[in-house]
Amino acid sequence: QKAAAALRAHPSAVVSGKEARGIAGIGKGMAERIDKVLESGHLPELEELKRDTDVVALRELQLVHGVGAVRAGALIGQGIRTLDGLR
């Protein structure tokens, strides 16, 4: 989140990971991810997260007002993984 905020606040478009390293809050790992996105248009780590059933369930449950990550995790622990399951 810190890196995303730093990139949004940067006055111009970042064209490389090396350039991004000059921005406070952007480290080596994030610079490498930026290069991957700029080269391929996607980030393999993000694609993995989109397929992870726990992450999908967390995100869906957090759509409910007042349900944050901790509460969503507790619901998943109780076997509730969808909005229909919550009803």
Coordinates of all heavy atoms in Angstrom, one line a residue:
Q1 N 0.8 -1.2 0.0 CA 0.0 0.0 0.0 C 0.9 1.3 0.0 O 0.5 2.2 -0.7 CB -0.9 0.0 1.2 CG -2.0 -1.0 1.1 CD -2.9 -1.0 2.3 OE1 -2.6 -0.4 3.3 NE2 -4.0 -1.7 2.2
K2 N 2.0 1.2 0.7 CA 2.9 2.3 0.8 C 3.5 2.6 -0.6 O 3.5 3.7 -1.0 CB 4.0 2.1 1.8 CG 5.0 3.2 2.0 CD 6.0 2.8 3.0 CE 7.0 3.9 3.2 NZ 8.1 3.5 4.1
A3 N 3.9 1.5 -1.3 CA 4.4 1.7 -2.6 C 3.4 2.2 -3.6 O 3.7 3.1 -4.4 CB 5.0 0.3 -3.1
A4 N 2.2 1.7 -3.5 CA 1.1 2.2 -4.4 C 0.9 3.7 -4.2 O 0.7 4.4 -5.2 CB -0.2 1.4 -4.2
A5 N 0.8 4.1 -2.9 CA 0.6 5.5 -2.6 C 1.7 6.4 -3.2 O 1.5 7.5 -3.7 CB 0.4 5.7 -1.1
A6 N 3.0 5.9 -3.0 CA 4.1 6.6 -3.5 C 4.1 6.8 -5.0 O 4.4 7.8 -5.6 CB 5.4 5.9 -3.1
L7 N 3.7 5.7 -5.7 CA 3.6 5.8 -7.2 C 2.5 6.7 -7.6 O 2.6 7.5 -8.6 CB 3.3 4.4 -7.8 CG 4.6 3.4 -7.7 CD1 4.1 2.0 -8.1 CD2 5.7 3.9 -8.7
R8 N 1.3 6.7 -6.9 CA 0.2 7.6 -7.3 C 0.6 9.0 -7.1 O 0.2 9.9 -7.8 CB -1.0 7.3 -6.4 CG -1.8 6.2 -7.0 CD -3.2 6.1 -6.4 NE -3.1 5.6 -5.0 CZ -3.1 4.4 -4.6 NH1 -3.1 3.4 -5.4 NH2 -3.1 4.1 -3.3
A9 N 1.4 9.3 -6.0 CA 1.8 10.7 -5.7 C 3.0 11.2 -6.6 O 3.2 12.4 -6.7 CB 2.3 10.8 -4.2
H10 N 3.6 10.3 -7.3 CA 4.7 10.7 -8.2 C 4.2 11.6 -9.3 O 3.2 11.2 -9.9 CB 5.4 9.4 -8.7 CG 6.8 9.7 -9.4 ND1 7.8 10.2 -8.7 CD2 7.2 9.6 -10.7 CE1 8.8 10.4 -9.5 NE2 8.5 10.0 -10.7
P11 N 4.9 12.7 -9.6 CA 4.3 13.6 -10.6 C 4.3 13.1 -12.1 O 3.6 13.7 -12.9 CB 5.3 14.8 -10.5 CG 6.5 14.3 -9.9 CD 6.1 13.1 -9.0
S12 N 5.1 12.1 -12.4 CA 5.1 11.6 -13.8 C 5.0 10.1 -13.8 O 5.3 9.4 -12.8 CB 6.4 12.1 -14.5 OG 7.5 11.6 -13.8
A13 N 4.7 9.6 -15.0 CA 4.6 8.1 -15.1 C 6.0 7.5 -14.9 O 7.0 8.0 -15.4 CB 4.1 7.8 -16.5
V14 N 6.0 6.4 -14.3 CA 7.2 5.6 -14.0 C 7.4 4.7 -15.2 O 6.5 3.9 -15.6 CB 7.2 4.8 -12.7 CG1 8.4 3.9 -12.5 CG2 7.1 5.8 -11.5
V15 N 8.6 4.7 -15.8 CA 8.8 3.9 -17.0 C 9.7 2.7 -16.8 O 10.0 1.9 -17.7 CB 9.3 4.7 -18.2 CG1 8.3 5.7 -18.6 CG2 10.6 5.4 -17.8
S16 N 10.3 2.5 -15.6 CA 11.1 1.4 -15.3 C 11.2 1.2 -13.7 O 11.0 2.1 -13.0 CB 12.5 1.6 -15.8 OG 13.2 2.6 -15.0
G17 N 11.6 0.0 -13.4 CA 11.8 -0.3 -12.0 C 12.9 0.5 -11.4 O 12.9 0.9 -10.3
K18 N 14.0 0.7 -12.3 CA 15.1 1.4 -11.8 C 14.7 2.9 -11.5 O 15.2 3.4 -10.5 CB 16.2 1.4 -12.9 CG 17.5 2.2 -12.6 CD 18.5 2.1 -13.7 CE 19.7 2.8 -13.3 NZ 20.7 2.8 -14.4
E19 N 13.9 3.4 -12.3 CA 13.4 4.8 -12.0 C 12.6 4.8 -10.7 O 12.7 5.7 -9.9 CB 12.5 5.3 -13.1 CG 11.9 6.7 -12.9 CD 10.9 7.1 -13.9 OE1 10.9 6.5 -15.0 OE2 10.2 8.1 -13.7
A20 N 11.8 3.7 -10.5 CA 10.9 3.6 -9.3 C 11.7 3.6 -8.1 O 11.3 4.0 -7.0 CB 10.0 2.4 -9.5
R21 N 12.9 2.9 -8.1 CA 13.8 2.8 -6.9 C 14.1 4.1 -6.4 O 14.4 4.3 -5.2 CB 15.1 2.1 -7.3 CG 15.0 0.6 -7.5 CD 14.7 -0.2 -6.2 NE 15.6 0.0 -5.1 CZ 16.6 -0.7 -4.8 NH1 17.0 -1.7 -5.5 NH2 17.3 -0.5 -3.7
G22 N 14.1 5.2 -7.2 CA 14.4 6.5 -6.7 C 13.3 7.2 -5.9 O 13.4 8.2 -5.3
I23 N 12.1 6.5 -5.8 CA 11.0 7.0 -5.1 C 11.0 6.4 -3.7 O 11.1 5.2 -3.6 CB 9.7 6.7 -5.9 CG1 9.7 7.2 -7.3 CG2 8.5 7.2 -5.1 CD1 8.5 6.7 -8.1
A24 N 10.8 7.2 -2.7 CA 10.7 6.7 -1.3 C 9.6 5.8 -1.2 O 8.5 6.0 -1.7 CB 10.6 7.9 -0.4
G25 N 9.9 4.6 -0.6 CA 8.8 3.6 -0.4 C 8.8 2.5 -1.4 O 8.1 1.5 -1.3
I26 N 9.7 2.6 -2.4 CA 9.9 1.6 -3.5 C 11.2 0.9 -3.3 O 12.3 1.5 -3.4 CB 9.8 2.2 -4.9 CG1 8.6 3.0 -5.1 CG2 9.9 1.1 -5.9 CD1 7.3 2.3 -5.1
G27 N 11.1 -0.4 -2.9 CA 12.4 -1.2 -2.7 C 12.7 -2.0 -3.9 O 12.0 -2.0 -5.0
K28 N 13.7 -2.9 -3.8 CA 14.2 -3.7 -4.8 C 13.1 -4.7 -5.3 O 12.8 -4.8 -6.5 CB 15.4 -4.5 -4.4 CG 15.9 -5.5 -5.4 CD 17.1 -6.3 -4.9 CE 17.5 -7.3 -5.9 NZ 18.5 -8.2 -5.4
G29 N 12.4 -5.3 -4.4 CA 11.3 -6.3 -4.8 C 10.2 -5.6 -5.6 O 9.7 -6.1 -6.6
M30 N 9.8 -4.4 -5.1 CA 8.7 -3.7 -5.8 C 9.2 -3.3 -7.2 O 8.4 -3.3 -8.1 CB 8.2 -2.6 -4.9 CG 7.0 -1.9 -5.5 SD 5.6 -2.9 -5.9 CE 5.1 -3.4 -4.2
A31 N 10.4 -2.8 -7.2 CA 11.0 -2.4 -8.5 C 11.0 -3.5 -9.5 O 10.7 -3.4 -10.7 CB 12.4 -1.8 -8.3
E32 N 11.3 -4.7 -9.0 CA 11.3 -5.9 -9.9 C 9.9 -6.2 -10.4 O 9.7 -6.6 -11.6 CB 11.9 -7.1 -9.2 CG 13.4 -7.0 -9.0 CD 14.0 -8.1 -8.1 OE1 13.2 -8.9 -7.5 OE2 15.2 -8.1 -7.9
R33 N 8.9 -6.1 -9.5 CA 7.5 -6.3 -9.9 C 7.0 -5.3 -10.9 O 6.3 -5.6 -11.9 CB 6.6 -6.3 -8.7 CG 6.8 -7.5 -7.8 CD 5.9 -7.3 -6.5 NE 6.1 -8.4 -5.6 CZ 6.9 -8.3 -4.6 NH1 7.6 -7.2 -4.3 NH2 7.1 -9.3 -3.7
I34 N 7.5 -4.0 -10.8 CA 7.1 -3.0 -11.7 C 7.7 -3.3 -13.1 O 7.0 -3.2 -14.1 CB 7.6 -1.6 -11.2 CG1 6.8 -1.2 -10.0 CG2 7.6 -0.6 -12.3 CD1 7.3 0.0 -9.3
D35 N 8.9 -3.8 -13.1 CA 9.5 -4.2 -14.4 C 8.7 -5.3 -15.1 O 8.5 -5.3 -16.3 CB 11.0 -4.6 -14.2 CG 11.9 -3.4 -14.1 OD1 11.6 -2.4 -14.7 OD2 13.0 -3.6 -13.5
K36 N 8.3 -6.3 -14.3 CA 7.5 -7.4 -14.8 C 6.2 -6.9 -15.4 O 5.8 -7.4 -16.5 CB 7.2 -8.5 -13.7 CG 8.4 -9.3 -13.3 CD 8.0 -10.3 -12.3 CE 9.2 -11.1 -11.7 NZ 8.8 -12.0 -10.6
V37 N 5.5 -6.0 -14.7 CA 4.3 -5.5 -15.2 C 4.5 -4.7 -16.5 O 3.8 -4.8 -17.5 CB 3.6 -4.7 -14.2 CG1 2.4 -3.9 -14.8 CG2 3.1 -5.5 -13.0
L38 N 5.6 -3.9 -16.5 CA 5.8 -3.1 -17.7 C 6.2 -3.9 -18.9 O 5.9 -3.6 -20.0 CB 6.9 -2.1 -17.4 CG 6.5 -0.9 -16.4 CD1 7.8 -0.1 -16.0 CD2 5.5 0.0 -17.0
E39 N 6.9 -5.0 -18.6 CA 7.3 -5.9 -19.7 C 6.2 -6.8 -20.3 O 6.1 -7.0 -21.5 CB 8.5 -6.8 -19.3 CG 9.8 -6.1 -19.0 CD 10.8 -7.0 -18.3 OE1 10.6 -8.2 -18.2 OE2 11.8 -6.4 -17.9
S40 N 5.4 -7.4 -19.4 CA 4.4 -8.4 -19.8 C 3.0 -7.9 -19.7 O 2.1 -8.5 -20.3 CB 4.6 -9.6 -18.9 OG 4.2 -9.4 -17.6
G41 N 2.7 -6.9 -18.9 CA 1.4 -6.4 -18.8 C 0.6 -7.1 -17.7 O -0.6 -6.8 -17.4
H42 N 1.3 -8.0 -17.0 CA 0.6 -8.7 -15.8 C 1.7 -9.1 -14.8 O 2.9 -9.0 -15.1 CB -0.2 -9.9 -16.3 CG 0.6 -11.0 -16.7 ND1 1.1 -11.1 -18.0 CD2 0.9 -12.2 -16.1 CE1 1.7 -12.3 -18.1 NE2 1.6 -12.9 -17.0
L43 N 1.2 -9.5 -13.6 CA 2.1 -9.9 -12.6 C 1.7 -11.3 -12.1 O 0.6 -11.5 -11.6 CB 2.0 -8.9 -11.4 CG 2.9 -9.1 -10.2 CD1 4.3 -8.9 -10.6 CD2 2.6 -8.1 -9.1
P44 N 2.6 -12.3 -12.3 CA 2.3 -13.6 -12.0 C 1.8 -13.8 -10.6 O 0.9 -14.6 -10.3 CB 3.6 -14.4 -12.2 CG 4.3 -13.6 -13.3 CD 3.9 -12.1 -12.9
E45 N 2.4 -13.1 -9.6 CA 2.0 -13.2 -8.2 C 0.5 -12.9 -8.0 O -0.2 -13.5 -7.3 CB 2.8 -12.3 -7.3 CG 4.3 -12.7 -7.3 CD 5.1 -11.6 -6.7 OE1 4.7 -11.0 -5.6 OE2 6.2 -11.3 -7.2
L46 N 0.1 -11.8 -8.7 CA -1.3 -11.4 -8.7 C -2.2 -12.4 -9.3 O -3.3 -12.7 -8.7 CB -1.5 -10.0 -9.3 CG -2.8 -9.4 -9.3 CD1 -3.3 -9.2 -7.9 CD2 -2.8 -8.1 -10.0
E47 N -1.8 -13.0 -10.4 CA -2.6 -14.0 -11.0 C -2.8 -15.2 -10.1 O -3.9 -15.8 -10.0 CB -2.0 -14.5 -12.3 CG -1.8 -13.4 -13.4 CD -3.1 -12.7 -13.7 OE1 -4.2 -13.4 -13.9 OE2 -3.1 -11.5 -13.9
E48 N -1.8 -15.6 -9.3 CA -1.9 -16.7 -8.3 C -2.9 -16.3 -7.2 O -3.7 -17.2 -6.8 CB -0.5 -16.9 -7.7 CG 0.5 -17.7 -8.6 CD 1.8 -17.9 -7.9 OE1 1.8 -18.1 -6.7 OE2 2.8 -17.8 -8.6
L49 N -2.8 -15.1 -6.8 CA -3.8 -14.7 -5.7 C -5.2 -14.7 -6.2 O -6.1 -15.0 -5.4 CB -3.4 -13.2 -5.2 CG -2.2 -13.1 -4.4 CD1 -1.9 -11.6 -4.1 CD2 -2.3 -13.9 -3.1
K50 N -5.4 -14.4 -7.4 CA -6.8 -14.4 -8.0 C -7.3 -15.8 -8.1 O -8.6 -16.0 -8.1 CB -6.8 -13.7 -9.4 CG -6.6 -12.2 -9.4 CD -6.6 -11.7 -10.8 CE -6.5 -10.2 -10.7 NZ -6.5 -9.6 -12.1
R51 N -6.5 -16.8 -8.1 CA -6.9 -18.2 -8.2 C -7.0 -18.8 -6.8 O -7.5 -19.9 -6.6 CB -6.0 -19.0 -9.1 CG -6.1 -18.7 -10.5 CD -5.3 -19.6 -11.4 NE -3.9 -19.6 -11.1 CZ -2.9 -18.9 -11.6 NH1 -3.3 -18.0 -12.6 NH2 -1.7 -19.0 -11.3
D52 N -6.4 -18.2 -5.8 CA -6.4 -18.7 -4.4 C -7.8 -18.6 -3.8 O -8.3 -17.6 -3.7 CB -5.4 -18.0 -3.6 CG -5.2 -18.5 -2.2 OD1 -6.2 -18.7 -1.5 OD2 -4.1 -18.7 -1.8
T53 N -8.4 -19.8 -3.5 CA -9.8 -19.8 -3.0 C -9.9 -19.1 -1.7 O -11.0 -18.5 -1.5 CB -10.3 -21.3 -2.9 OG1 -9.4 -22.0 -2.0 CG2 -10.3 -22.0 -4.2
D54 N -8.9 -19.1 -0.8 CA -9.0 -18.3 0.4 C -9.0 -16.8 0.2 O -9.8 -16.1 0.8 CB -7.9 -18.7 1.4 CG -8.0 -20.0 2.0 OD1 -9.1 -20.6 2.0 OD2 -7.0 -20.6 2.4
V55 N -8.2 -16.4 -0.7 CA -8.2 -14.9 -1.1 C -9.5 -14.5 -1.7 O -10.1 -13.5 -1.4 CB -7.0 -14.6 -2.0 CG1 -7.0 -13.2 -2.5 CG2 -5.7 -14.9 -1.3
V56 N -10.0 -15.3 -2.6 CA -11.3 -15.0 -3.2 C -12.4 -14.9 -2.2 O -13.2 -14.0 -2.2 CB -11.7 -16.1 -4.3 CG1 -13.1 -15.9 -4.8 CG2 -10.7 -16.0 -5.5
A57 N -12.4 -15.9 -1.2 CA -13.4 -15.9 -0.2 C -13.3 -14.6 0.7 O -14.3 -14.0 1.0 CB -13.3 -17.1 0.7
L58 N -12.1 -14.3 1.1 CA -11.8 -13.1 1.9 C -12.3 -11.8 1.2 O -13.0 -11.0 1.8 CB -10.3 -12.9 2.2 CG -9.7 -13.6 3.3 CD1 -8.2 -13.5 3.3 CD2 -10.3 -13.0 4.6
R59 N -12.0 -11.7 -0.1 CA -12.4 -10.5 -0.8 C -14.0 -10.4 -0.9 O -14.5 -9.4 -0.8 CB -11.8 -10.5 -2.2 CG -10.3 -10.2 -2.1 CD -9.6 -10.1 -3.4 NE -10.2 -9.1 -4.3 CZ -9.8 -7.8 -4.3 NH1 -8.8 -7.4 -3.6 NH2 -10.4 -7.0 -5.2
E60 N -14.6 -11.6 -1.2 CA -16.0 -11.6 -1.3 C -16.7 -11.2 0.0 O -17.6 -10.4 0.0 CB -16.5 -12.9 -1.8 CG -18.0 -12.9 -2.0 CD -18.6 -14.2 -2.6 OE1 -17.8 -15.0 -3.2 OE2 -19.8 -14.4 -2.6
L61 N -16.3 -11.8 1.1 CA -16.9 -11.5 2.4 C -16.6 -10.0 2.8 O -17.5 -9.5 3.5 CB -16.4 -12.5 3.5 CG -16.8 -13.9 3.3 CD1 -16.1 -14.8 4.2 CD2 -18.3 -14.0 3.4
Q62 N -15.5 -9.5 2.4 CA -15.2 -8.1 2.8 C -16.1 -7.1 2.0 O -16.1 -5.9 2.3 CB -13.8 -7.8 2.6 CG -12.9 -8.4 3.6 CD -11.4 -8.1 3.4 OE1 -10.9 -8.5 2.4 NE2 -10.8 -7.4 4.3
L63 N -16.9 -7.6 1.1 CA -17.8 -6.7 0.4 C -19.0 -6.2 1.3 O -19.7 -5.3 1.0 CB -18.4 -7.4 -0.9 CG -17.4 -7.7 -2.0 CD1 -18.1 -8.5 -3.1 CD2 -16.9 -6.4 -2.6
V64 N -19.2 -7.0 2.4 CA -20.2 -6.7 3.3 C -19.8 -5.5 4.2 O -18.7 -5.6 4.8 CB -20.6 -7.9 4.2 CG1 -21.6 -7.6 5.3 CG2 -21.1 -9.1 3.3
H65 N -20.6 -4.5 4.4 CA -20.2 -3.4 5.2 C -20.0 -3.9 6.7 O -20.7 -4.6 7.2 CB -21.4 -2.4 5.3 CG -21.1 -1.2 6.2 ND1 -20.3 -0.2 5.8 CD2 -21.6 -0.9 7.4 CE1 -20.2 0.7 6.8 NE2 -21.0 0.3 7.8
G66 N -18.8 -3.5 7.2 CA -18.4 -3.8 8.5 C -17.6 -5.1 8.7 O -17.2 -5.5 9.8
V67 N -17.4 -5.8 7.6 CA -16.6 -7.0 7.6 C -15.3 -6.7 7.0 O -15.1 -6.4 5.8 CB -17.3 -8.2 6.8 CG1 -16.4 -9.4 6.8 CG2 -18.6 -8.5 7.4
G68 N -14.3 -6.8 7.9 CA -12.9 -6.5 7.5 C -12.2 -7.9 7.4 O -12.8 -8.9 7.4
A69 N -10.9 -7.8 7.2 CA -10.1 -9.0 7.0 C -10.1 -9.9 8.2 O -10.2 -11.2 8.0 CB -8.6 -8.6 6.7
V70 N -10.1 -9.4 9.4 CA -10.1 -10.3 10.6 C -11.5 -11.0 10.7 O -11.5 -12.2 10.8 CB -9.8 -9.5 11.8 CG1 -10.0 -10.3 13.1 CG2 -8.4 -8.9 11.8
R71 N -12.5 -10.3 10.5 CA -13.9 -10.9 10.6 C -14.1 -11.9 9.5 O -14.6 -13.0 9.7 CB -15.0 -9.8 10.6 CG -16.4 -10.4 10.7 CD -16.6 -10.9 12.1 NE -18.0 -11.4 12.2 CZ -18.3 -12.6 12.7 NH1 -17.4 -13.4 13.3 NH2 -19.6 -13.0 12.7
A72 N -13.6 -11.5 8.3 CA -13.8 -12.4 7.1 C -13.0 -13.7 7.4 O -13.5 -14.8 7.1 CB -13.3 -11.7 5.8
G73 N -11.8 -13.6 7.9 CA -11.0 -14.8 8.3 C -11.7 -15.7 9.3 O -11.7 -16.9 9.1
A74 N -12.3 -15.0 10.2 CA -13.1 -15.8 11.2 C -14.3 -16.5 10.6 O -14.5 -17.7 10.9 CB -13.6 -14.9 12.4
L75 N -14.9 -15.9 9.7 CA -16.1 -16.5 9.0 C -15.6 -17.7 8.2 O -16.2 -18.7 8.2 CB -16.8 -15.5 8.1 CG -17.6 -14.4 8.9 CD1 -18.0 -13.3 7.9 CD2 -18.8 -15.0 9.6
I76 N -14.5 -17.5 7.5 CA -13.9 -18.6 6.7 C -13.6 -19.8 7.6 O -13.8 -20.9 7.3 CB -12.7 -18.1 5.9 CG1 -13.2 -17.2 4.8 CG2 -11.9 -19.3 5.3 CD1 -12.1 -16.5 4.0
G77 N -13.1 -19.5 8.8 CA -12.7 -20.5 9.8 C -14.0 -21.3 10.2 O -13.9 -22.4 10.6
Q78 N -15.1 -20.6 10.1 CA -16.4 -21.3 10.5 C -17.0 -22.0 9.3 O -18.2 -22.5 9.4 CB -17.4 -20.2 11.1 CG -16.9 -19.6 12.3 CD -17.8 -18.4 12.7 OE1 -18.9 -18.2 12.2 NE2 -17.3 -17.5 13.6
G79 N -16.4 -21.9 8.2 CA -16.9 -22.6 7.0 C -17.7 -21.7 6.1 O -18.3 -22.2 5.1
I80 N -17.8 -20.5 6.4 CA -18.6 -19.5 5.6 C -17.6 -18.9 4.6 O -16.7 -18.2 5.0 CB -19.3 -18.4 6.5 CG1 -20.2 -19.1 7.4 CG2 -20.0 -17.4 5.6 CD1 -20.7 -18.2 8.5
R81 N -17.8 -19.1 3.3 CA -16.9 -18.7 2.3 C -17.5 -17.8 1.2 O -16.8 -17.3 0.3 CB -16.2 -19.9 1.6 CG -15.5 -20.8 2.6 CD -14.8 -21.9 2.0 NE -13.7 -21.5 1.1 CZ -12.5 -21.2 1.5 NH1 -12.2 -21.2 2.8 NH2 -11.6 -20.8 0.7
T82 N -18.8 -17.7 1.2 CA -19.5 -16.9 0.2 C -20.6 -16.0 0.8 O -20.9 -16.2 2.0 CB -20.2 -17.8 -0.8 OG1 -21.3 -18.5 -0.2 CG2 -19.2 -18.7 -1.5
L83 N -21.1 -15.0 0.1 CA -22.1 -14.2 0.6 C -23.4 -15.0 0.8 O -24.1 -14.8 1.8 CB -22.4 -13.0 -0.4 CG -21.3 -12.0 -0.6 CD1 -21.6 -10.9 -1.6 CD2 -20.9 -11.4 0.7
D84 N -23.6 -16.0 -0.1 CA -24.8 -16.8 0.1 C -24.6 -17.6 1.4 O -25.6 -17.8 2.1 CB -25.0 -17.8 -1.1 CG -25.5 -17.1 -2.3 OD1 -26.2 -16.0 -2.1 OD2 -25.3 -17.6 -3.4
G85 N -23.5 -18.1 1.7 CA -23.2 -18.8 2.9 C -23.4 -18.0 4.2 O -23.7 -18.5 5.2
L86 N -23.2 -16.7 4.0 CA -23.3 -15.8 5.1 C -24.8 -15.5 5.4 O -25.2 -15.3 6.6 CB -22.7 -14.4 4.8 CG -22.5 -13.4 5.8 CD1 -21.8 -13.9 7.0 CD2 -21.8 -12.1 5.3
R87 N -25.6 -15.6 4.4 CA -27.1 -15.4 4.7 C -27.6 -16.6 5.4 O -28.3 -16.7 6.3 CB -27.8 -15.3 3.3 CG -27.4 -14.1 2.6 CD -28.1 -13.9 1.3 NE -27.6 -12.7 0.6 CZ -27.3 -12.6 -0.6 NH1 -27.6 -13.6 -1.4 NH2 -26.8 -11.5 -1.1

